[in-house]
Amino acid sequence: MKNFFSNIIEADFMPHGHCYFWRPEILWLNVGGDLLIALAYFSLPLLLFYFARKRTDLTHRYVFMLFAAFIFACGTTHVIDIWTVWIPTYRLEGVVKVITGFLSVGTAIAVYKSVPVLLALPSHDQLKALNQQLQVEVEERRKAQEELHVVNQELEKRVADRTLALQLANQDLEKEVLERTRAQQELQSLNHELQIANNELDNFVYCASHDLKAPIINIGGLLDVLVEELPPVDKHVQHVLARLESSLKQMNRTIHDLTEVSLVKQRHEISSSQQAESFKEVLESVQESIADTIEQSGIRIMTDFAAYPAALIKRKDLQSVFYNLLTNAIKYRSPDRAAVVFFSIKVEEDYLVLSVTDNGIGVELRGNEKKMFSLFKRLHDHIDGSGVGLYIVKRIMDNYNGLIDVASEVGKGTTFILRFPHVKLRAGF
Amino acid sequence: MRKLSGILLIDDDDTTNFLNQRLLERMQVTDQIRTFVNGKQAFDYLYNVSNNNYDPSNANYFAPELIFLDINMPVMDGFEMLELYERLDKDFRSKIVMTVLTTSTHPHDTTNSANYAAEYLTKPLTIEKIKYLFEKYFSDKPVNN
């Protein structure tokens, strides 16, 4: 082995030319072929090198390099073949061939390993087709985008249109709201003025009746004094004095009623005591205050307050209601039968209902219900009254946001129905 | 009824004063009655009496036991006078029954009166009302009637 390598360039065999018998046509044909192959095999690696260096995107550069080395080695074997025609260094030739063989096997293995990857590498045609497809797709996308753009613009325009319409509608609405607010304000201000006027009227009525009260009281006192101071008088003078007294009484009552009317609202507003009043008890207090009148009239008073024995109605209001309705029943009792008046309470869904029914002379209503509750309006002229009582009841009902109705039949009697809003009167028991 | 040391009538209406004075005189509840036509006059009088700033020999000056006070009066009305009256000597006031006597039934006046230690009566003044006052305030003393 040591000999082999030390004699590697020893030409101690027969030159290869002998195999060709030095016949020039065979020798030069082989040498020429080898030379051409060698030239080609030496130039190819250069081209491969050049290609591999220029193509920076190559994924298998080392395969190209192996190819270049392997082809270069192959070229060398052909050069050695030419060489050994004349100089028989077959040891060197063997070494060169072994090296070339290793390089070839290595390259083959490398190529074998790279085959799947190289197969996956798209070909130019494939790439072209792909590219075309891509371009088509790009074009399609572009068109789609354009269409989208158009749709988008349309949408934007529509949105803008709608927004404008909405804004206009909004403006209209705002205008309307403003108008309504103004109208409401006007209404409120009118209402306020009306309330003021109403209060002023109440005040005026109060002041007028109050200012009249003092001189009338004085006239009454002076009349008493006059009667006392006068010497015995004859019938005529007595008659005049009696008339004077009766006129004074009537005046007093009117003024008293007027004062009551003007105070209904103030009393309602000023007194804040909110305690449940018993219907029975308040009615009894009213009966006591006019016991004489009741006795004279012989009226029978019946009650049924069991459904709701007490409510948050101010005592004065309740007294006033009972007083006016009771005196009304007495005043308009029938001379043909024993007078009866029936007070009762029942509960409706929204209202507490107080009914007062008498068996009096009744009255032909025919649309006079409203008139019945007006100030100084009287439906009977043969019975004296100031025409204030029912008006006071009506005003009290107004203060409670309540309702008052009347039903009547001539010769049978009259029923007053007072409805108090229920929620406001819920007493704590 | 026993006789009171004196009664004041405070009202701007002469006729009212005349009638009330006549009624009280006829009932013989006192020998001394003075009338004033506004709160100022009456207060000045009470102020002097409460400070003993008067001549005892003058029959026109006396410490009253009962006062009738009108509300609506010129110069100084009843409530203004009550306001001042409450600042007078407490002992002096304790011997006086203050009565508001008015035609007013206005809730404003009735609630206002409740703020003062005063009786509230509506006009006209009658025998019944005077009897009521005497039974309520002067019955603990022997009645000279």
Side-chain angles (χ1 to χ4, degrees), chain A residues 21 30 91 98 146 211-212 229 275 310:
Chain A
F21 297 126
N30 275 289
R91 292 186 190 85
V98 165
E146 253 172 38
D211 286 356
L212 283 172
E229 301 282 343
Q275 77 178 73

Side-chain angles (χ1 to χ4, degrees), chain A residues 203 206 210-211 213-215 217-222 224-225 228-229 259-260 263 266-267 270, chain B residues 13-19 22 26 72 102-109 111 122-125:
Chain A
N203 276 340
Y206 176 77
H210 179 260
D211 286 356
K213 217 187 251 179
I217 286 168
N218 282 343
I219 290 172
L222 291 169
D224 289 343
V225 173
E228 279 174 30
E229 301 282 343
T259 312
E260 283 301 303
L263 290 180
Q266 265 103 329
R267 281 219 185 97
I270 219 162
Chain B
D13 189 308
D14 283 334
T15 309
T16 304
N17 283 337
F18 161 74
L19 286 169
R22 186 173 182 277
R26 294 191 133 226
N72 283 316
T102 175
T103 51
S104 174
T105 50
H106 197 288
H108 181 263
D109 290 338
T111 48
T122 53
K123 287 177 185 174
L125 190 60

Side-chain angles (χ1 to χ4, degrees), chain A residues 5-263:
Chain A
F5 280 107
S6 57
N7 299 330
I8 195 159
I9 51 166
E10 205 65 42
D12 48 358
F13 294 96
M14 228 192 302
H16 201 222
H18 280 290
C19 297
Y20 307 133
F21 297 126
W22 301 107
R23 283 168 65 174
E25 74 275 17
I26 299 169
L27 188 141
W28 290 111
L29 196 64
N30 275 289
V31 169
D34 280 331
L35 190 66
L36 281 172
I37 292 169
L39 278 174
Y41 278 11
F42 284 147
S43 57
L44 273 169
L46 288 173
L47 286 170
L48 277 173
F49 255 121
Y50 179 74
F51 175 75
R53 280 193 63 154
K54 282 284 165 182
R55 279 293 293 263
T56 50
D57 60 338
L58 281 179
T59 50
H60 290 77
R61 193 181 298 277
Y62 76 99
V63 177
F64 283 85
M65 292 304 176
L66 273 175
F67 253 101
F70 143 70
I71 292 170
F72 184 80
C74 285
T76 311
T77 59
H78 287 282
V79 171
I80 290 282
D81 276 348
I82 295 169
W83 174 270
T84 54
V85 171
W86 287 281
I87 300 145
T89 51
Y90 292 126
R91 292 186 190 85
L92 182 66
E93 188 181 22
V95 169
V96 169
K97 278 189 179 170
V98 165
I99 291 168
T100 305
F102 275 120
L103 273 171
S104 305
V105 169
T107 305
I109 289 168
V111 169
Y112 172 76
K113 276 192 175 169
S114 304
V115 162
V117 180
L118 289 171
L119 273 177
L121 280 179
S123 71
H124 182 246
D125 281 352
Q126 268 179 319
L127 273 172
K128 208 170 157 188
L130 216 64
N131 212 11
Q132 264 177 349
Q133 205 180 322
L134 255 164
Q135 263 177 351
V136 169
E137 265 174 41
V138 163
E139 184 65 15
E140 272 172 17
R141 285 252 176 115
R142 200 181 57 78
K143 270 186 194 164
Q145 217 155 18
E146 253 172 38
E147 272 166 34
L148 209 72
H149 188 65
V150 169
V151 169
N152 223 4
Q153 269 182 336
E154 223 168 276
L155 216 69
E156 268 174 30
K157 191 174 171 300
R158 236 187 270 176
V159 166
D161 286 352
R162 287 263 173 100
T163 308
L164 195 73
L166 257 161
Q167 271 176 344
L168 286 176
N170 216 8
Q171 275 176 353
D172 282 351
L173 218 70
E174 270 174 27
K175 218 184 279 173
E176 207 178 308
V177 165
L178 207 72
E179 270 168 34
R180 287 219 186 153
T181 314
R182 206 173 294 150
Q184 206 164 17
Q185 275 172 348
E186 251 169 63
L187 213 70
Q188 270 176 347
S189 127
L190 274 175
N191 203 14
H192 186 64
E193 274 171 36
L194 210 68
Q195 270 177 350
I196 289 175
N198 227 352
N199 283 344
E200 271 174 11
L201 201 66
D202 275 346
N203 276 340
F204 169 76
V205 171
Y206 176 77
C207 288
S209 60
H210 179 260
D211 286 356
L212 283 172
K213 217 187 251 179
I216 285 166
I217 286 168
N218 282 343
I219 290 172
L222 291 169
L223 186 63
D224 289 343
V225 173
L226 195 65
V227 170
E228 279 174 30
E229 301 282 343
L230 275 178
V233 292
D234 64 14
K235 265 191 178 170
H236 284 294
V237 178
Q238 264 177 8
H239 183 66
V240 171
L241 285 175
R243 290 218 163 212
L244 200 56
E245 202 152 325
S246 131
S247 294
L248 257 175
K249 254 190 194 160
Q250 197 182 330
M251 211 153 160
N252 253 324
R253 194 173 51 221
T254 304
I255 282 169
H256 173 267
D257 288 349
L258 270 174
T259 312
E260 283 301 303
V261 167
S262 68
L263 290 180

